[in-house]
């Protein structure tokens, strides 16, 4: 779930490591390599501001030599995006896919069905916000290659409008760890990568990268990365919260999902690209409870809330 750039393409990936202790499986994010953009695609002269004034237009016409410069458009996009104003997203009214992660074919079936449900919920929401909707492609693969230029060293990747999911990871979890945890993790991961697709469709993904490349310190660049990643996890919760009645997300499934999002964190990773497990749980559950993208504006949050 970190990000890097390939030419003009923004790539987003997720990886999980597993450790067993006292009979409990702990979930940790593994390293994703250098998550900073490899080159600047746009020159931004306006310094990064902590917030954009409410109500300012997206463009401003100077009225004289003393006129203020227009607001930084990337800040406007991430801080005041129209997707934050649409309210609850509609439920897809989809049930959880019934297939289990016992073969590549069944894993493909699970993710394909889940992706269709994500499209069904997010398409009207994206259009309501005034953006063009397009469905991402899906590649479910085994091994180290999926015939792509994208870096697939992680478990789940969003790259160039395509979601890549590693079936090897799900197969191992199904046979080695808790099958219910496998299901909640699969649901979380596909919806998280779709969260990055929502960011792409609304311009947030590119704008956030543009903000990042002008930051002068590595710590501030990592803070920007965590804002993107925690927002994607929040948007993952938004979908599930909207559909919880039909999925259904309740009982032991919901308890395991809450455990899953509560035990994800990058404390162990020196790069700190994704956010600690306390904040990951907070944002994921905020999205679930609200079922509204307005709950996911990580870009206005104080640094401690996205640490």
């Amino acid at each position: 779930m970190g990000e890097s750039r390939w030419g003009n393409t923004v790539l987003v990936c997720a990886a999980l490591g597993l450790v067993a202790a006292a009979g409990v499986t702990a979930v940790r994010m593994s390293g994703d390599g250098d998550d900073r953009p490899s080159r600047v695609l746009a020159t931004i002269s306006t310094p990064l501001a902590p917030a954009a004034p409410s109500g300012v237009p997206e463009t401003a016409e100077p009225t004289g030599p003393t006129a203020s410069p227009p607001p930084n458009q990337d800040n406007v996009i991430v801080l005041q995006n129209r997707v934050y104003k649409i309210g609850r997203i509609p439920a897809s009214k989809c049930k959880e896919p019934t297939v289990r992660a016992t073969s590549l074919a069944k894993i493909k079936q699970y993710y394909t069905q889940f992706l269709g449900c994500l499209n069904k919920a997010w398409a009207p929401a994206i259009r309501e916000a005034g953006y063009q909707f397009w469905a991402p492609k899906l590649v479910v693969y085994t091994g180290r290659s999926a015939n792509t230029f994208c870096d697939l060293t992680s478990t789940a990747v969003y790259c160039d409008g395509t979601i890549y999911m590693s079936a090897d990871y799900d197969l191992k979890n199904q046979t080695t760890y808790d099958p219910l945890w496998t299901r909640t993790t699969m649901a979380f991961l596909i919806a998280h990568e779709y969260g990055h697709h929502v960011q792409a469709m609304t311009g947030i993904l590119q704008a956030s990268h543009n903000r990042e490349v002008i930051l002068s310190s590595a710590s501030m660049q990592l803070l920007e990365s965590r804002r993107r990643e925690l927002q994607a996890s929040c948007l993952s919760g938004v979908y599930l919260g909207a559909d919880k009645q039909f999925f259904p997300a309740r009982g032991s499934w919901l308890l395991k999902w809450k455990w899953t999002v509560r035990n994800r964190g990058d404390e162990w990773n020196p790069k700190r690209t994704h956010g600690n497990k306390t904040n990951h749980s907070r944002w994921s559950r905020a999205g679930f409870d609200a079922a509204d993208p307005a709950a996911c504006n990580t870009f206005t949050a104080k640094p401690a809330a996205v640490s």
Side-chain angles (χ1 to χ4, degrees), residues 187-266:
F188 166 78
L189 280 177
I190 184 70
H192 173 99
E193 297 309 325
Y194 202 99
H196 287 305
H197 184 60
V198 171
Q199 291 174 329
M201 290 186 291
T202 57
I204 292 173
L205 193 59
Q206 185 65 59
S208 178
H209 274 291
N210 292 344
R211 281 162 44 109
E212 182 176 332
V213 297
I214 65 171
L215 293 171
S216 58
S217 70
S219 62
M220 291 299 292
Q221 291 174 335
L222 291 174
L223 177 63
E224 186 72 13
S225 174
R226 292 194 295 273
R227 291 186 190 279
R228 288 193 300 270
E229 293 298 335
L230 290 170
Q231 183 177 75
S233 290
C234 183
L235 293 172
S236 175
V238 166
Y239 167 77
L240 186 62
D243 205 50
K244 62 184 178 182
Q245 176 183 349
F246 306 94
F247 193 81
R250 64 189 182 207
S252 59
W253 196 100
L254 182 58
L255 289 175
K256 186 64 70 172
W257 178 85
K258 289 180 178 179
W259 186 93
T260 299
V261 300
R262 189 173 64 246
N263 286 277
R264 297 180 62 90
D266 65 358

Side-chain angles (χ1 to χ4, degrees), residues 83-148:
V83 79
Y84 304 144
K85 303 174 183 179
I86 62 174
R88 289 176 62 94
I89 70 169
S92 69
K93 299 185 179 181
C94 289
K95 294 185 179 297
E96 180 189 15
T98 58
V99 293
R100 298 296 174 251
T102 56
S103 69
L104 174 60
K106 289 184 178 181
I107 293 171
K108 284 183 178 179
Q109 185 179 347
Y110 181 98
Y111 284 132
T112 299
Q113 183 177 337
F114 209 119
L115 181 60
C117 295
L118 286 161
N119 288 335
K120 187 177 180 181
W122 280 110
I126 295 299
R127 292 175 181 133
E128 174 69 20
Y131 297 103
Q132 180 181 359
F133 173 83
W134 74 92
K137 296 179 182 178
L138 173 68
V139 175
V140 182
Y141 68 97
T142 58
R144 304 294 291 181
S145 175
N147 191 29
T148 177

Side-chain angles (χ1 to χ4, degrees), residues 16-28 100-102 155 167-186 256 259-260:
L16 299 176
L18 305 177
V19 293
V24 178
T25 303
V27 185
R28 302 185 305 176
R100 298 296 174 251
T102 56
T155 302
D168 292 328
Y169 178 71
D170 300 322
L171 289 167
K172 180 179 180 180
N173 290 342
Q174 180 71 19
T175 57
T176 308
Y177 304 105
D178 179 3
L180 180 57
W181 175 79
T182 302
R183 290 162 54 193
T184 59
T185 299
M186 291 174 73
K256 186 64 70 172
W259 186 93
T260 299

